[in-house]
Amino acid sequence: MDAAQRKDAGRPAATVDGTVKSVVFRNDETGFTILHVTPAADGRFRLAQSEVTVLGTCAAAWEGEELHAAGEWVDDPVRGRQFKAKSIECVPPKSVEGIRRYLASGLIHGIGPVLANRIVDRFGAETIDVLDRFSARLAEIPKLGPKKIESIRRGWREGRGTREIMIFTQTYGISVAQTTKIYRMYGPDSVAIIKADPYRLCRDIWGIGFATADRIATAVGLPKDSPLRARAAIVHTLRTEADEEGHCWTSEPDLLLHAQELVGISVEVLAEALKAEINEGRVVKEEDRLYMRDLYIAERRVAARLRRLAESAPSFAPIDPDKAIAWWEKRTGFTLAPAQLRAVRASLGAKLSIVTGGPGVGKTTIIRALVDIYGARGGANRIRTFLGAPTGRAAKRMTESTGAPAQTLHRLLKYNPQTNSFTYCEERPLDGDVFIFDEMSMVDVRLMADLVAALPQRATLILVGDTDQLPSVGPGNVLRDLIASGVVATSQLTEIFRQASTGLIVRNAHHVNAGEPFETRSGESDFYFIAQDDPAKTLDYALDFMTTRIPRHFGLEPLQDVQVLTPMRRNSLGSENLNNVIQARLNGTGPAVQRGGTCFRAGDRVMQLRNNYDKDVFNGDIGFVQSVDSSSRSLVVLFDGRPVEYRSGDLDELVLTYATTIHKSQGSEYPAVIVLLHRQHYMMLQRNLLYTAITRGKKLVLVIGAPWAVKQAIETNTVRERRTTLAERMRGGEG
């Protein structure tokens, strides 16, 4: 082959020009799109077909847009002749009919087919120009008020700006949802801002990692050993230590070694970058420890505030614990066990105390007793008590068990999106006397710092939790550190009460925690184990029990009452595949909004993946899709009956949760859980993981899996220590 032939061989063999009739499929993660296109009558290549299917990757495509695609024709054995595009370019339409379809396609939030027709009927071929440069003329349309006009104007600007940045970001594997977030963060100057410092993306945009930012930095010409890249590597490594390993600090040799492994820059350059970060205050060095500034401040704040609480007496008139307990026992007809008596006495006599223990040992009874005793005070001696927990389900459980209102910790503090901070803080503390917080093993050091900052000086604080569960997802090990400090009055409960005589859920949780095998019995029970080594059969069992056998035998509703738990997201028995399989069985038809490989339909059970203060929904919150709008790719989710709208750019914050990871189930309790354990989960098999999974079940626990995997999980108790200094700061009285 000569040079000319080689050059010709690299060229696309054909082109298609036309108008996008419909977007058949769109993967927002990869940009892969399937379009139905009406060929242009005057195109460079006249086509006999009235409609062409075009497949390829593009930044964005909307109905009505004019398209130019270059590639080749292929014959699909099922779908027939298609055009496989190597490149697709779309531009706003010029024809009136194209503009009409374009506006009705969902491009602008709030404009549907009816309003699109009204706008195009008024402005015709000038519509695009009016929206671009003369949007005040929208007032010429009858019954279109100022608020709606401003909404259209804002949506049009956002859509046009997003298209520009989509063209820029599609090369780097940044999804449409993430690109939308970039535009919201940086506005019309997004491309210029990213080119100036690509590493801002991994700091500012949830879901974009260092590797993506690094690819962009290389593409825009930043040198491999640039100070900007070295400093980004330092910060990223520290953040990874915190967010993935749970550490609050790391040593300088470890930090430089891991940063060098990440970017291949010399230690000398990285050491200079570290100095620069320390000088600017983003990184703090204390003795031989290096912290991200926010974690350093958080640890010091928690230690200082809690130490002051531990060293002071309650601010309200003393309560005689013996009289109070006798009153409560007579009122409720319940007799507290000796360990529970000691826990109630300790909590009533201290401004800071901890109640800890496993399932069924009476922690909830102690909370109920304390709420009743504090609530019995009236008049001028009234004691205002607040209850809180990290998740909505845990807060709801507190309310149900005590009869007193409980809130999530985030809602208690009331985030203010205008100031990007909590309403209640050191300058504006909460107005209360006693604060009882449950499920404290889930609380990381950042949230704990916000909580203690918002407590009034007079506050009495009672922390309740189980240190044998998985630690918090975020950095730190607050509950364990506070107990280890020896400074906080701690009541350890060990005697089992709940289900002691008949139930196996609690008994098996304690067996696992002690490194002992499951206890099972024939006949009716609340705990079952099915041994199964084959992953395909394990999947079949999980599907059958969730959708048919458990609902039929126990009268439970699969969507509301049954939760599948698994150690991992990926592989055939991971949450992603399980969700797709279960959804296909329970809710596999009807209008859908697609993001990546996931379809969301009305009725789906979903989980929020990150704290979104603007929407007032938080990581781990579970809701149900109420409605979907396929044209605008938006949906509405009900969280405890409250509707929350998700636009297309927000969908990456949601996942289906027919199945979920055990980590994500922390703080929740379900009527029935199905726990899957298999050899393919071997990297995650830990005692505290299985213990946490079992303790999520309230009425029924079914474990399906390989006996080897169960044995491995029970016997593996090498809990990885987290590098923290909270216990040390508590003992030292550091402020």
Side-chain angles (χ1 to χ4, degrees):
M1 183 184 292
D2 60 23
Q5 288 174 317
R6 285 195 297 271
K7 184 177 180 181
D8 288 339
R11 290 178 178 168
T15 61
V16 168
D17 294 279
T19 302
V20 178
K21 182 180 179 182
S22 62
V23 180
V24 180
F25 173 80
R26 171 75 179 173
N27 186 325
D28 284 344
E29 298 301 302
T30 65
F32 177 74
T33 308
I34 302 175
L35 305 169
H36 283 169
V37 176
T38 303
D42 57 348
R44 290 168 52 195
F45 295 92
R46 292 173 182 262
L47 301 172
Q49 300 102 304
S50 61
E51 185 178 290
V52 176
T53 300
V54 176
L55 306 85
T57 301
C58 62
W62 299 93
E63 292 179 18
E65 285 191 312
E66 295 180 4
L67 169 143
H68 174 75
E72 60 182 354
W73 291 98
V74 295
D75 290 309
D76 186 278
V78 176
R79 298 174 180 84
R81 194 160 174 76
Q82 298 177 327
F83 191 80
K84 188 175 181 181
K86 292 186 177 179
S87 66
I88 298 175
E89 297 176 21
C90 292
V91 296
K94 299 181 181 65
S95 70
V96 171
E97 190 53 38
I99 293 170
R100 193 184 304 276
R101 294 178 65 86
Y102 185 51
L103 292 187
S105 66
L107 170 70
I108 303 175
H109 183 68
I111 294 185
V114 174
L115 183 52
N117 283 334
R118 292 172 62 199
I119 294 172
V120 178
D121 286 346
R122 178 67 186 85
F123 300 115
E126 296 180 273
T127 299
I128 301 297
D129 201 35
V130 167
L131 292 169
D132 267 341
R133 300 192 296 156
F134 306 108
S135 57
R137 291 190 60 192
L138 290 169
E140 298 174 17
I141 299 173
K143 298 181 181 179
L144 202 62
K147 287 186 178 179
K148 189 64 175 179
I149 290 173
E150 179 54 34
S151 174
I152 293 171
R153 188 181 285 132
R154 185 170 58 249
W156 179 256
R157 286 197 303 265
E158 182 177 311
R160 300 281 269 183
T162 303
R163 171 175 290 285
E164 177 191 358
I165 193 172
M166 279 178 179
I167 293 169
F168 175 77
T169 59
Q170 66 172 329
T171 309
Y172 307 107
I174 296 177
S175 71
V176 172
Q178 291 168 338
T179 299
T180 302
K181 287 181 170 64
I182 292 171
Y183 186 81
R184 289 179 188 170
M185 173 70 71
Y186 303 141
D189 296 326
S190 294
V191 173
I193 290 171
I194 293 171
K195 286 182 177 179
D197 182 3
Y199 298 103
R200 288 187 60 171
L201 290 172
C202 53
R203 297 195 299 268
D204 297 342
I205 309 299
W206 180 77
I208 296 182
F210 181 87
T212 299
D214 207 33
R215 283 200 305 273
I216 297 174
T218 300
V220 300
L222 277 179
K224 289 287 187 183
D225 61 349
S226 72
L228 197 64
R229 185 168 186 254
R231 292 179 65 171
I234 291 293
V235 172
H236 173 75
T237 303
L238 266 179
R239 287 242 177 257
T240 300
E241 290 277 302
D243 296 335
E244 295 184 9
E245 303 296 331
H247 300 311
C248 289
W249 61 270
T250 192
S251 66
E252 184 169 339
D254 280 351
L255 174 62
L256 294 178
L257 175 63
H258 294 152
Q260 187 181 39
E261 290 173 348
L262 176 70
V263 292
I265 297 176
S266 70
V267 171
E268 291 75 18
V269 172
L270 289 168
E272 288 300 315
L274 174 59
K275 287 180 183 177
E277 290 295 320
I278 292 171
N279 290 337
E280 284 196 11
R282 188 149 37 184
V283 175
V284 175
K285 185 171 185 178
E286 182 185 60
E287 299 177 358
D288 59 347
R289 301 184 293 264
L290 293 167
Y291 301 78
M292 290 303 299
R293 181 176 179 80
D294 65 324
L295 293 178
Y296 176 75
I297 291 173
E299 268 204 349
R300 290 177 63 90
R301 177 182 289 171
V302 171
R305 295 300 299 271
L306 292 187
R307 179 79 187 202
R308 286 201 294 272
L309 277 181
E311 291 174 345
S312 58
S315 55
F316 43 78
I319 294 175
D320 185 318
D322 293 328
K323 288 183 178 179
I325 291 168
W327 167 84
W328 184 81
E329 289 183 332
K330 182 178 180 181
R331 177 175 176 271
T332 62
F334 190 93
T335 301
L336 295 173
Q340 292 175 311
L341 285 168
R342 290 192 294 271
V344 173
R345 286 195 184 98
S347 297
L348 291 173
K351 282 195 75 175
L352 174 63
S353 60
I354 292 173
V355 178
T356 185
V361 296
K363 299 190 298 295
T364 300
T365 300
I366 290 168
I367 294 174
R368 189 186 306 133
L370 291 170
V371 168
D372 290 346
I373 290 169
Y374 287 127
R377 279 272 181 94
N381 292 323
R382 175 172 170 253
I383 298 174
R384 289 163 297 178
T385 303
F386 286 83
L387 306 184
T391 67
R393 289 203 168 207
K396 185 177 181 181
R397 198 162 65 246
M398 287 186 83
T399 299
E400 292 170 348
S401 62
T402 64
Q407 303 177 69
T408 65
L409 301 179
H410 290 93
R411 291 192 178 100
L412 178 69
L413 297 177
K414 289 187 179 177
Y415 183 78
N416 184 339
Q418 279 71 45
T419 61
N420 193 32
S421 61
F422 287 113
T423 298
Y424 293 106
C425 55
E426 194 163 7
E427 293 74 29
R428 187 186 175 186
L430 292 157
D431 187 15
D433 303 300
V434 175
F435 297 83
I436 304 175
F437 298 147
D438 198 6
E439 295 286 357
M440 286 301 297
S441 65
M442 294 182 64
V443 175
D444 64 37
V445 72
R446 292 189 184 109
L447 178 55
M448 192 65 186
D450 289 323
L451 282 171
V452 299
L455 293 178
Q457 292 292 331
R458 66 180 182 277
T460 289
L461 178 61
I462 301 165
L463 307 176
V464 183
D466 182 355
T467 56
D468 292 318
Q469 287 188 25
L470 291 167
S472 60
V473 175
N477 210 342
V478 173
L479 183 63
R480 188 180 288 270
D481 284 350
L482 293 178
I483 294 171
S485 74
V487 174
V488 185
T490 300
S491 301
Q492 175 79 46
L493 304 176
T494 56
E495 185 181 353
I496 303 172
F497 300 100
R498 176 160 59 95
Q499 299 175 321
S501 59
T502 60
L504 289 182
I505 294 176
V506 171
R507 292 171 65 86
N508 276 320
H510 287 274
H511 282 317
V512 168
N513 203 30
E516 300 165 356
F518 291 154
E519 178 182 341
T520 59
R521 64 165 65 108
S522 59
E524 292 293 317
S525 179
D526 62 352
F527 185 97
Y528 298 89
F529 172 60
I530 296 176
Q532 181 52 251
D533 286 299
D534 183 84
K537 290 182 179 178
T538 300
L539 181 59
D540 289 341
Y541 271 128
L543 188 62
D544 186 36
F545 274 96
M546 179 180 184
T547 63
T548 306
R549 296 171 71 168
I550 288 176
R552 185 173 58 205
H553 189 78
F554 292 93
L556 298 175
E557 205 282 322
L559 276 176
Q560 296 285 344
D561 300 329
V562 186
Q563 181 66 58
V564 177
L565 301 179
T566 181
M568 302 172 73
R569 287 175 50 213
R570 305 294 169 85
N571 64 45
S572 64
L573 295 178
S575 60
E576 293 178 357
N577 184 56
L578 288 164
N579 274 313
N580 291 334
V581 172
I582 297 169
Q583 183 196 45
R585 174 74 66 90
L586 288 177
N587 195 30
T589 60
V593 171
Q594 185 148 352
R595 176 196 167 268
T598 301
C599 283
F600 295 103
R601 295 187 178 90
D604 280 335
R605 185 167 69 198
V606 294
M607 179 185 287
Q608 174 76 11
L609 287 178
R610 64 183 290 258
N611 293 336
N612 188 320
Y613 299 102
D614 293 333
K615 295 183 185 297
D616 196 30
V617 289
F618 303 99
N619 185 9
D621 282 358
I622 292 176
F624 292 86
V625 178
Q626 181 186 41
S627 61
V628 300
D629 185 338
S630 301
S631 61
S632 64
R633 301 190 68 254
S634 64
L635 48 86
V636 175
V637 180
L638 290 178
F639 290 98
D640 291 327
R642 182 176 63 90
V644 178
E645 183 183 14
Y646 285 78
R647 296 170 62 178
S648 59
D650 304 323
L651 295 180
D652 62 339
E653 297 183 10
L654 290 175
V655 291
L656 297 174
T657 187
Y658 298 98
T660 190
T661 63
I662 297 168
H663 281 84
K664 281 291 185 183
S665 73
Q666 281 182 271
S668 295
E669 192 174 63
Y670 312 92
V673 298
I674 300 171
V675 184
L676 305 185
L677 290 180
H678 195 266
R679 291 175 184 271
Q680 60 184 234
H681 302 137
Y682 73 96
M683 292 181 63
M684 301 291 294
L685 297 175
Q686 282 274 140
R687 183 180 297 176
N688 59 359
L689 185 90
L690 179 54
Y691 174 82
T692 299
I694 292 172
T695 56
R696 300 310 92 202
K698 188 176 181 181
K699 297 178 180 178
L700 175 68
V701 172
L702 169 63
V703 180
I704 308 172
W708 177 89
V710 174
K711 185 172 183 290
Q712 184 75 7
I714 292 173
E715 293 180 352
T716 305
N717 194 33
T718 54
V719 179
R720 298 177 67 177
E721 292 298 321
R722 294 185 167 193
R723 290 194 288 270
T724 68
T725 38
L726 179 57
E728 179 182 327
R729 294 183 196 281
M730 289 289 294
R731 285 191 291 269
E734 185 176 328

